[in-house]
Amino acid sequence: MAAFAIRVPSVDDLLDPYSTEPLERRPLRDEIRERILLAWIDTRDERPSHLSVGLPAQERERAPAASIQAAIRNDFVETFRSSTRFHVFTRGERREAAVAFVFLIMCLLGSSLIDSVTRDDALFSGISQGLLVLGWVAMWQPAQQVFQAVSRWLSRGRYRELSQVPIEIEWV
């Protein structure tokens, strides 16, 4: 079986640098997790035997290999656990999504009101269309979170597989 690898310039580029967790519990950055998942999905016919992570040699003293391996393993285990239930928003994100939805409704109502009052006036038609775009832009982030939650839920089997793949740290 083939190996698959990722090379990162530092531990902070691999793991969430804003996390207050100890190194072993720090989550992967979202883009790193996504890149590993996509590489794993792309190797469906010939599953790699292990994940190889290349880090600069000067990071060795700062972060022992065992701690980095534990962090990656814990991230995949936690991602698998969270993907088994369909959870889209945290409490704060739910509030933001509700505000964005109310704003969208207000923009739609305002656009409809402008359209019904002004009858094909180019200036007011532009304002009406601008309100529509503004309302939908407000919903962008909540919609993105829904798509990410669906994608994570659909990938739960792959995350289970990744949580069991051997991990090697290479100092380059």
Side-chain angles (χ1 to χ4, degrees), residues 22-166:
L23 183 64
E24 296 81 11
R25 303 293 309 163
R26 281 174 56 190
L28 288 171
R29 284 181 174 251
D30 291 337
E31 59 270 14
I32 299 291
R33 184 183 312 106
E34 186 72 19
R35 181 171 286 181
I36 293 170
L37 174 66
L38 293 176
W40 184 255
I41 290 170
D42 288 343
T43 60
R44 178 180 179 176
D45 297 329
E46 187 181 323
R47 288 288 187 221
S49 60
H50 66 279
L51 167 62
S52 179
V53 179
L55 287 164
Q58 61 265 26
E59 294 277 318
R60 184 181 291 203
E61 294 84 32
R62 182 172 165 236
S67 297
I68 297 170
Q69 288 170 329
I72 295 169
R73 173 83 52 232
N74 288 332
D75 181 84
F76 285 133
V77 167
E78 279 305 310
T79 302
F80 167 66
R81 284 185 188 147
S82 69
S83 69
T84 59
R85 58 188 188 282
F86 190 72
H87 182 73
V88 178
F89 301 114
T90 63
R91 188 174 177 183
E93 292 167 343
R94 217 175 8 253
R95 181 173 163 245
E96 289 177 11
V99 169
F101 183 72
V102 168
F103 184 73
L104 170 65
I105 297 301
M106 289 173 29
C107 287
L108 290 172
L109 290 173
S111 176
S112 295
L113 179 64
I114 290 170
D115 286 344
S116 67
V117 172
T118 59
R119 305 275 186 248
D120 296 330
D121 184 342
L123 174 67
F124 289 109
S125 180
I127 293 171
S128 170
Q129 293 300 310
L131 281 174
L132 287 176
V133 170
L134 188 62
W136 285 112
V137 167
M139 285 299 295
W140 187 275
Q141 182 64 30
Q144 179 70 24
Q145 288 177 251
V146 170
F147 292 127
Q148 285 175 339
V150 169
S151 177
R152 185 170 283 182
W153 183 78
L154 291 173
S155 298
R156 65 192 180 280
R158 304 301 73 78
Y159 283 119
R160 184 186 71 244
E161 294 167 2
L162 282 169
S163 71
Q164 298 167 357
V165 169

